[in-house]
Amino acid sequence: MQHVTIKEIAKALNLSFSTVSRSLNDNYQISEKTKTLVRDYASSVNYIPNLAAKTLKTGISNSIAVVVPFLSSPFFVDFFEEITMLFSKTDYNVILLQTFNNPIKECEALDVAIQNRVAAIIISPVHDDSNCSKLAYIQKQVCPVVLFDRTNHRLETHKIGVRHEREIAIAAKQLLKQGCKNILLLCCKGIGANDARIAGIRSAFLGKQEPDYSWAVVEIEYNHPNEDLKKQLLRPLKEQKEGLCYDGIIATTDTLTTKVLPLLLTDEGMLADCAQVIGFSNTAYARILNPTWTVFTQPSRQMAIKCYETILELINYRRLQINPAYNTVFLDVIPG
Amino acid sequence: MQHVTIKEIAKALNLSFSTVSRSLNDNYQISEKTKTLVRDYASSVNYIPNLAAKTLKTGISNSIAVVVPFLSSPFFVDFFEEITMLFSKTDYNVILLQTFNNPIKECEALDVAIQNRVAAIIISPVHDDSNCSKLAYIQKQVCPVVLFDRTNHRLETHKIGVRHEREIAIAAKQLLKQGCKNILLLCCKGIGANDARIAGIRSAFLGKQEPDYSWAVVEIEYNHPNEDLKKQLLRPLKEQKEGLCYDGIIATTDTLTTKVLPLLLTDEGMLADCAQVIGFSNTAYARILNPTWTVFTQPSRQMAIKCYETILELINYRRLQINPAYNTVFLDVIPG
DNA sequence: CTGAAAGCGCTTACAG
DNA sequence: CTGAAAGCGCTTACAG
């Protein structure tokens, strides 16, 4: 099929195609009159630029890769929705890539990003050192990389996240204040942030001695969020201290809050009936599930905004060949 | 930055770059020996093809555009997840575009698809005749288009959906059998399928006379699913027949089932306490929200599989310049 | 089975 | 302010 090209516009307007190209790119050298002429004609013939040609010539496409574990978590859906809206006001468009928490798929996703000559990568990596050398290579040789959410990754770059230790400490202290004595911390298995989270609950229990007080951590594996979580959850719980009944629970992720927790609560024996719950979640369902729960919301949209700003800055720096000084920005969880 | 190119591989192996290109594309003309040589060397130097060059040359990229209203609905997340997995086993990768049920954004999304010279478009359109001429143009001049979910769209092509009339009739009959007499049908406003859905509930009520039996429809607007739905919902309800108390509810979409319905149930007076509910939803939360609900699941993953197969077929047909005979495939809702 | 050559549609130094 | 020309990295007829 034949699309309208710059060449055809040039011929129709009796201009060189360099001039047409410059006009469409709003080049300062071209007179307003010519620009208007070209733009009006281009839109009248419904000119749609061939991005492949531009990408081939410049070496950089106008795509931004957003690499996330999966979309089954509302946190990532929110983040993606927000960042898509932000970039939709620019010339960039967003390519979404999912890793399903699998380093091999992450590697493939990064290859797709390179193949497409993306202008930048925004990634929530699989774990602390997944595809480290590849990401370092990309950052050095291909395009800027920004990490979000899982900021413990070893790559040195701008990172945008939350202070997991602090947030969990706040949650745990709140439960203790409400009278809880035995607190269960539910984590997703193999996530780098877990160390910080455990440090958080430990710090909240400083000075609270056994046997009056206790806390425990259960790590649940849900690489693909549609797995059967119940068995996983109950096995370690049953192996743990017999007779103990947790009266406070902290669920650290959206999946844990909305899927795992209801399983735990409907099941027999592991929890006090009046167990108090703080769940981290980005879905309105979380509150509906049980109105007495306290829901802490991850600042997904704020993170998207910060990622967006950071990426534009890094792209600009790279164009100007300025080396940025990388730093990590922490945003506050929104307590319920 | 310098990526490895075909030219460099050719030079290193003392071959022409046509041969290298053919080897990498597994061309039948090339000897296995040469192919192996080239492939091994290419992977040893970590060759990553420049898709922009290929796209420019061939006029078609290896991207497939998936255009959906939004991802806040688990139906679309499921669909997208499935179709991404399917295409990840091919050379195609999937570009996700969101319209937020806005025809203008849909138009922009289609422009992005054209700019990227996508190989095909899979779309759940905004409404029955949104961007009709553009889609027809695309189908004729650019690439195959397949419609899913919202199959009432006027474009003539392969369509994959569900029989809304039939599904709602089944749901309504089930409620009637369970003893319901006044059924409320909750629909998303402005969706083409609503006519069929209303026909469905009407057919279920054939022979059931007022004043003993009645049914009503409420259309809720939630273009952007994070809106305040409660007010919208209660206004038309209050204007409706005073004193009437619905004892059966059918929620036709995921958002209605998981967000709107809980609001309705927690609010005073509009519903019998023992109201029976059938909700269409693709999230496990739906059952957790209230174990007594009956949940009908849209066949999102089956639709993805069918779309995937259809698209590959259409791409192939187009390459062979065969004109396909378009048809519509209906998949069954999975009753709870 | 392999090679030489044209060309996809842009951008951008270079020249004027 | 505008134009002529090179070239980005591939694919693919054409030739042998």
Side-chain angles (χ1 to χ4, degrees):
Chain A
M1 73 121 314
Q2 287 352 302
H3 295 274
V4 178
T5 68
I6 277 187
K7 235 178 218 166
E8 283 156 38
I9 295 176
K11 202 194 289 174
L13 297 178
N14 210 15
L15 287 166
S16 75
F17 54 91
S18 346
T19 302
V20 173
S21 171
R22 288 195 184 99
S23 298
L24 293 170
N25 289 319
D26 202 18
N27 188 298
Y28 69 99
Q29 296 174 92
I30 305 293
S31 71
E32 273 310 318
K33 201 177 135 228
T34 308
K35 279 186 194 169
T36 312
L37 180 75
V38 171
R39 283 194 289 236
D40 287 354
Y41 182 78
S43 78
S44 80
V45 294
N46 200 18
Y47 169 71
I48 298 181
N50 186 329
L51 291 185
K54 180 172 184 176
T55 301
L56 176 58
K57 179 62 194 171
T58 63
I60 299 170
S61 79
N62 68 337
S63 294
I64 309 280
V66 172
V67 186
V68 299
F70 40 66
L71 284 177
S72 317
S73 167
F75 168 75
F76 291 117
V77 172
D78 270 12
F79 179 89
F80 179 69
E81 194 171 287
E82 186 68 30
I83 207 144
T84 303
M85 306 237 252
L86 291 167
F87 277 113
S88 75
K89 286 163 199 151
T90 71
D91 276 340
Y92 292 107
N93 48 58
V94 174
I95 297 182
L96 175 69
L97 300 166
Q98 295 172 83
T99 64
F100 299 104
N101 273 343
N102 176 344
I104 296 167
K105 283 203 178 279
E106 184 175 71
C107 184
E108 289 168 6
L110 295 174
D111 279 341
V112 170
I114 299 174
Q115 281 177 1
N116 282 288
R117 300 291 187 266
V118 295
I121 294 176
I122 300 170
I123 182 169
S124 177
V126 169
H127 57 67
D128 287 4
D129 42 22
S130 58
N131 292 291
C132 254
S133 58
K134 183 153 212 143
L135 282 166
Y137 164 80
I138 289 173
Q139 186 173 232
K140 199 172 167 204
Q141 303 285 331
V142 186
C143 69
V145 177
V146 166
L147 295 183
F148 78 100
D149 181 40
R150 302 181 177 179
T151 50
N152 287 312
H153 192 279
R154 273 175 31 220
L155 185 75
E156 200 185 327
T157 185
H158 281 312
K159 302 176 186 180
I160 291 130
V162 300
R163 265 183 252 274
H164 296 289
E165 175 169 351
R166 179 172 166 275
E167 307 304 346
I168 296 300
I170 290 173
K173 280 177 188 164
Q174 183 168 321
L175 287 178
L176 287 169
K177 195 186 262 179
Q178 291 169 196
C180 297
K181 300 201 162 181
N182 302 298
I183 298 182
L184 184 62
L185 182 69
L186 298 181
C187 293
C188 170
K189 189 164 192 168
I191 285 192
N194 288 348
D195 289 346
R197 287 173 170 142
I198 292 169
I201 192 166
R202 178 174 292 125
S203 81
F205 271 82
L206 271 183
K208 309 278 188 186
Q209 305 290 345
E210 288 202 59
D212 287 348
Y213 292 90
S214 75
W215 58 273
V217 180
V218 176
E219 296 199 346
I220 316 279
E221 191 157 5
Y222 56 91
N223 277 353
H224 192 299
N226 286 334
E227 284 170 25
D228 184 5
L229 300 166
K230 196 164 184 170
K231 274 181 259 163
Q232 271 194 73
L233 178 64
L234 292 177
R235 196 182 321 128
L237 265 185
K238 284 190 174 148
E239 286 165 7
Q240 272 176 337
K241 308 156 195 170
E242 288 290 334
L244 183 61
C245 213
Y246 294 101
D247 56 8
I249 309 173
I250 301 171
T252 55
T253 72
D254 221 307
T255 304
L256 292 169
T257 300
T258 54
K259 289 199 177 171
V260 177
L261 211 42
L263 294 176
L264 196 59
L265 292 168
T266 57
D267 220 286
E268 63 293 328
M270 304 317 295
L271 298 167
D273 277 347
C274 56
Q276 299 188 63
V277 174
I278 293 180
F280 287 73
S281 171
N282 283 68
T283 165
Y285 312 147
R287 283 186 183 78
I288 294 169
L289 284 177
N290 189 327
T292 67
W293 290 2
T294 302
V295 179
F296 281 24
T297 306
Q298 302 281 7
S300 54
R301 293 186 184 268
Q302 293 84 335
M303 286 167 95
I305 293 168
K306 192 69 197 166
C307 283
Y308 167 77
E309 293 167 351
T310 307
I311 279 295
L312 291 188
E313 182 189 290
L314 285 181
I315 289 173
N316 208 28
Y317 272 36
R318 188 159 295 223
R319 190 165 40 216
L320 304 173
Q321 308 201 4
I322 302 174
N323 277 327
Y326 293 125
N327 64 347
T328 300
V329 173
F330 292 111
L331 299 171
D332 285 339
V333 165
I334 303 145
Chain B
M1 71 123 318
Q2 285 355 300
H3 296 275
V4 178
T5 67
I6 276 186
K7 234 178 220 166
E8 284 156 36
I9 295 176
K11 201 193 289 173
L13 297 178
N14 210 16
L15 288 166
S16 75
F17 55 90
S18 347
T19 302
V20 173
S21 171
R22 288 195 185 96
S23 299
L24 293 171
N25 288 319
D26 202 19
N27 188 296
Y28 68 100
Q29 298 174 90
I30 305 293
S31 70
E32 274 310 317
K33 198 175 137 234
T34 309
K35 279 186 196 172
T36 312
L37 179 74
V38 170
R39 281 195 290 236
D40 286 354
Y41 182 77
S43 77
S44 80
V45 294
N46 200 18
Y47 169 70
I48 298 182
N50 186 330
L51 290 184
K54 178 172 186 178
T55 301
L56 176 58
K57 180 63 193 169
T58 62
I60 299 169
S61 78
N62 67 338
S63 294
I64 308 279
V66 171
V67 187
V68 299
F70 39 66
L71 284 177
S72 317
S73 167
F75 168 75
F76 291 116
V77 172
D78 270 12
F79 179 89
F80 178 70
E81 195 171 285
E82 186 68 30
I83 206 142
T84 302
M85 306 237 251
L86 291 167
F87 277 113
S88 74
K89 286 162 198 151
T90 70
D91 275 341
Y92 292 106
N93 48 56
V94 174
I95 296 182
L96 175 69
L97 299 166
Q98 296 173 85
T99 65
F100 299 104
N101 273 343
N102 177 343
I104 297 167
K105 283 203 180 278
E106 183 174 71
C107 184
E108 290 168 5
L110 295 174
D111 278 340
V112 170
I114 299 174
Q115 282 177 2
N116 283 288
R117 298 291 187 267
V118 294
I121 294 176
I122 300 171
I123 181 170
S124 177
V126 168
H127 57 67
D128 286 5
D129 42 23
S130 58
N131 292 292
C132 255
S133 58
K134 183 153 213 143
L135 282 165
Y137 163 81
I138 289 173
Q139 185 172 232
K140 201 174 163 202
Q141 304 285 330
V142 187
C143 70
V145 177
V146 166
L147 293 184
F148 78 100
D149 180 42
R150 301 181 178 178
T151 50
N152 287 310
H153 193 277
R154 274 175 31 221
L155 185 74
E156 200 186 328
T157 185
H158 280 313
K159 302 175 187 181
I160 290 129
V162 300
R163 267 183 251 273
H164 297 288
E165 176 170 349
R166 179 173 166 276
E167 308 304 346
I168 297 299
I170 290 173
K173 281 176 188 163
Q174 182 168 323
L175 287 178
L176 287 168
K177 195 185 261 178
Q178 292 168 197
C180 296
K181 301 202 162 180
N182 301 297
I183 297 183
L184 184 62
L185 183 69
L186 299 181
C187 293
C188 171
K189 188 165 191 169
I191 285 191
N194 288 349
D195 289 346
R197 287 172 170 143
I198 291 168
I201 191 167
R202 176 175 293 125
S203 81
F205 271 83
L206 272 182
K208 309 279 186 185
Q209 305 290 341
E210 289 202 58
D212 287 348
Y213 291 90
S214 75
W215 57 273
V217 180
V218 177
E219 297 198 346
I220 315 279
E221 190 158 5
Y222 57 92
N223 277 353
H224 192 298
N226 287 335
E227 282 170 28
D228 184 4
L229 301 165
K230 195 163 184 172
K231 273 181 259 165
Q232 270 194 76
L233 177 65
L234 293 178
R235 197 182 322 127
L237 266 185
K238 285 192 174 146
E239 285 165 7
Q240 273 177 335
K241 309 155 193 172
E242 288 291 334
L244 183 60
C245 212
Y246 294 100
D247 55 8
I249 309 173
I250 301 171
T252 55
T253 71
D254 221 306
T255 304
L256 292 169
T257 301
T258 53
K259 288 198 179 171
V260 177
L261 212 42
L263 294 175
L264 197 59
L265 291 168
T266 56
D267 219 284
E268 64 294 323
M270 303 316 295
L271 297 167
D273 277 347
C274 54
Q276 300 188 63
V277 173
I278 294 180
F280 288 74
S281 170
N282 284 67
T283 166
Y285 312 147
R287 284 187 183 78
I288 294 169
L289 284 176
N290 190 328
T292 68
W293 290 2
T294 301
V295 178
F296 281 26
T297 305
Q298 302 280 6
S300 52
R301 292 184 185 268
Q302 294 84 337
M303 287 168 94
I305 293 168
K306 193 70 199 165
C307 283
Y308 166 78
E309 292 167 350
T310 307
I311 279 295
L312 290 187
E313 182 189 292
L314 285 181
I315 289 174
N316 208 28
Y317 272 36
R318 188 159 295 223
R319 189 165 40 217
L320 304 172
Q321 306 201 6
I322 302 174
N323 278 328
Y326 293 125
N327 64 345
T328 300
V329 174
F330 292 110
L331 300 171
D332 285 338
V333 165
I334 304 144

